[in-house]
Amino acid sequence: QRRKRKNDQTTLDAEDMVTAVKSRRLLALQAKKEKEEQERQLKEKLEKEAEEERQRKQRAAAEKAFHEGIAKAKLVLRRLPIGTDRNHNRYWLFSSVVPGLYIEKGWVLDSIDYSYTLPAEENEEEEEDER
């Protein structure tokens, strides 16, 4: 009977060892899967943050270029010409950034009216001078 008990106990010990080994393997596999999942999530998070940072830098660079362009345009922008000559050329002087005097030719349209009427005050003065 002792032998039988001993055999039974040895069999139980062997079964316990097999069960323990299996459970350790399962735990190791589960831990490995969890670790891989965490690494994958971390990698996705880092990629997303890198993409957001790249887009932010791109937006900042575009905005900076836009503001620089506006600043340069403000230096050059002139709404009215300095004047015109008898040939209807317009003369433009922009700024020290853009050197030179620019002459615009051919801007006159057929619809321009060359007649000139004196303001009311000047008309009255001329009429008085004629008398």
Side-chain angles (χ1 to χ4, degrees), residues 1-115:
Q1 230 178 7
R2 284 186 184 177
R3 279 186 184 173
K4 193 175 185 182
R5 269 190 192 169
K6 205 173 186 182
N7 278 341
D8 287 342
Q9 192 170 4
T10 308
T11 308
L12 286 176
D13 287 343
E15 287 177 8
D16 286 344
M17 288 179 83
V18 169
T19 306
V21 168
K22 285 183 180 180
S23 66
R24 284 184 190 157
R25 284 183 183 167
L26 288 174
L27 287 174
L29 273 172
Q30 191 176 17
K32 183 179 178 183
K33 286 180 183 178
E34 288 175 1
K35 185 177 179 181
E36 287 174 353
E37 180 67 20
Q38 287 177 350
E39 287 176 354
R40 186 185 61 76
Q41 288 176 353
L42 180 64
K43 184 178 177 182
E44 287 177 359
K45 181 181 175 185
L46 290 175
E47 287 175 354
K48 185 178 178 182
E49 288 175 356
E51 178 67 21
E52 288 173 356
E53 180 67 18
R54 185 184 63 77
Q55 288 177 352
R56 187 190 63 75
K57 285 182 179 180
Q58 208 172 27
R59 271 186 256 121
E63 190 172 324
K64 182 180 178 185
F66 177 73
H67 288 297
E68 287 175 355
I70 288 176
K72 286 180 181 177
K74 284 181 180 178
L75 292 174
V76 174
L77 190 62
R78 183 173 184 92
R79 294 180 186 224
L80 297 172
I82 294 171
T84 58
D85 63 9
R86 64 181 172 201
N87 296 321
H88 303 288
N89 296 322
R90 289 195 287 195
Y91 290 84
W92 299 83
L93 184 63
F94 293 109
S95 70
S96 61
V97 176
V98 180
L101 176 68
Y102 291 89
I103 302 169
E104 181 180 17
K105 296 183 178 193
W107 67 274
V108 177
L109 301 174
D110 294 334
S111 62
I112 292 182
D113 183 18
Y114 291 102
S115 63

